[in-house]
């Protein structure tokens, strides 16, 4: 059974203080690893898809990386508007369902 | 592009009642998936529809059923509502089951 574990559960940063979120996964065959951002009471907003170990993708202050066992979401010089819950999900090769982690709740203080 | 739209946005039902939630996929998408998200948890996969058929199903009881129409829109039905069914219900659409884009969700409260 696919498993996704995200850490830390919650993270508080000062504006401009860079950090990383971790997503560890177990899957029989990885089709893709997805990162989403979710604001309170809203649906997840798609950020990145990573398909193979060594792949990296960037969007503004966010950079996602992938290894065979985990993915990192690096946040460089965050701003208060980056505050949200960040969700990681895996999709296996045998289907298209997403298995999500519990998320990391990020708070960036001004 | 309107993206994925869901209706209603909020709903309050009484235990034992039945509810229907609706989803219109992003333009050009052919696959619709439904997820349940309890407060403070990650979304849990309910089922997926493609070509008007249920293609995959998560670990949810038969009280949860769905339908996909020829225009790719979809409905989620839940019978005999329990208090534990209170959650945010998310619809996601994709093309061929690849990158999924989510709607804003329907907040269901069972009292």
């Amino acid at each position: 059974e696919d498993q996704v574990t995200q850490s830390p559960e919650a993270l508080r940063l000062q504006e401009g203080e860079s950090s990383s979120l971790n997503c560890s996964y177990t899957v029989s065959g990885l089709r893709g690893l997805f990162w989403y951002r979710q604001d309170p009471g809203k649906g997840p907003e798609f950020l990145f898809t990573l398909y193979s170990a060594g792949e990296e993708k960037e969007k503004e202050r966010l950079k996602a990386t992938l290894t065979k066992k985990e993915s990192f979401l690096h946040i460089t010089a965050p701003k208060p508007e980056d505050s949200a819950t960040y969700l990681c999900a895996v999709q296996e090769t045998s289907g298209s369902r997403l298995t999500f982690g519990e998320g990391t709740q990020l708070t960036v203080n001004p | 592009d309107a993206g994925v739209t869901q209706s209603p946005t909020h709903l309050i039902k009484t235990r034992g009642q039945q509810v229907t939630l609706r989803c219109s996929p992003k333009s050009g998408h052919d696959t619709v998936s439904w997820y349940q998200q309890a407060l403070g948890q990650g979304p849990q996969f309910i089922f997926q529809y493609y070509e008007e058929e249920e293609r995959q199903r998560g670990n949810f009881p038969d009280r949860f059923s769905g339908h996909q129409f020829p225009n790719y829109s979809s409905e989620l039905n839940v019978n005999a509502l329990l208090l534990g069914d209170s959650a945010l219900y998310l619809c996601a659409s994709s093309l061929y089951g690849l990158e999924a884009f989510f709607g804003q969700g329907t907040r269901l409260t069972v009292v």
Side-chain angles (χ1 to χ4, degrees):
Chain A
E1 185 177 320
D2 302 344
Q3 283 193 322
V4 178
T5 302
Q6 291 188 245
S7 62
E9 291 184 9
L11 180 64
R12 285 186 173 272
L13 300 174
Q14 288 298 122
E15 185 171 2
E17 180 186 2
S18 301
S19 188
S20 295
L21 313 182
N22 177 263
C23 171
S24 298
Y25 65 91
T26 303
V27 64
S28 54
L30 183 68
R31 189 182 195 185
L33 184 139
F34 299 77
W35 282 98
Y36 290 87
R37 168 195 170 123
Q38 187 174 30
D39 293 305
K42 305 289 187 182
E45 175 190 346
F46 173 79
L47 293 174
F48 304 108
T49 309
L50 302 167
Y51 293 103
S52 57
E55 188 175 1
E56 299 182 351
K57 287 192 176 174
E58 290 188 62
K59 179 181 179 179
E60 296 180 355
R61 295 177 292 282
L62 301 177
K63 178 181 177 180
T65 61
L66 181 66
T67 72
K68 288 186 177 180
K69 293 184 178 181
E70 58 191 349
S71 177
F72 292 94
L73 184 65
H74 307 278
I75 304 176
T76 302
K79 298 182 178 181
E81 53 261 43
D82 295 323
S83 297
T85 295
Y86 290 84
L87 294 166
C88 169
V90 295
Q91 186 181 64
E92 62 176 45
T93 52
S94 62
S96 55
R97 63 186 290 175
L98 295 175
T99 300
F100 282 86
E102 301 289 275
T104 293
Q105 185 175 3
L106 173 67
T107 303
V108 182
N109 296 313
Chain B
D1 184 0
V4 181
T5 58
Q6 292 186 243
S7 64
T9 54
H10 296 85
L11 201 54
I12 299 175
K13 288 287 189 178
T14 302
R15 189 172 48 183
Q17 284 188 316
Q18 179 264 344
V19 67
T20 297
L21 310 181
R22 295 176 175 82
C23 172
S24 292
K26 183 178 170 67
S27 178
H29 284 183
D30 58 4
T31 304
V32 173
S33 302
W34 288 92
Y35 292 81
Q36 180 194 66
Q37 187 176 26
L39 205 59
Q41 307 284 317
Q44 298 291 316
F45 176 77
I46 303 175
F47 43 53
Q48 182 183 84
Y49 279 84
Y50 173 70
E51 292 188 339
E52 301 180 51
E53 291 188 1
E54 184 182 292
R55 289 303 178 99
Q56 280 189 291
R57 189 177 182 91
N59 189 26
F60 279 80
D62 291 344
R63 298 187 297 108
F64 290 76
S65 64
H67 189 78
Q68 186 180 34
F69 299 94
N71 66 353
Y72 305 114
S73 67
S74 177
E75 288 182 349
L76 164 65
N77 301 292
V78 187
N79 295 321
L81 284 166
L82 304 173
L83 296 179
D85 294 332
S86 295
L88 182 66
Y89 287 85
L90 297 164
C91 170
S93 75
S94 59
L95 182 62
Y96 307 132
L98 297 178
E99 294 178 353
F101 292 81
F102 285 82
Q104 292 300 290
T106 294
R107 170 69 63 187
L108 173 64
T109 303
V110 183
V111 297

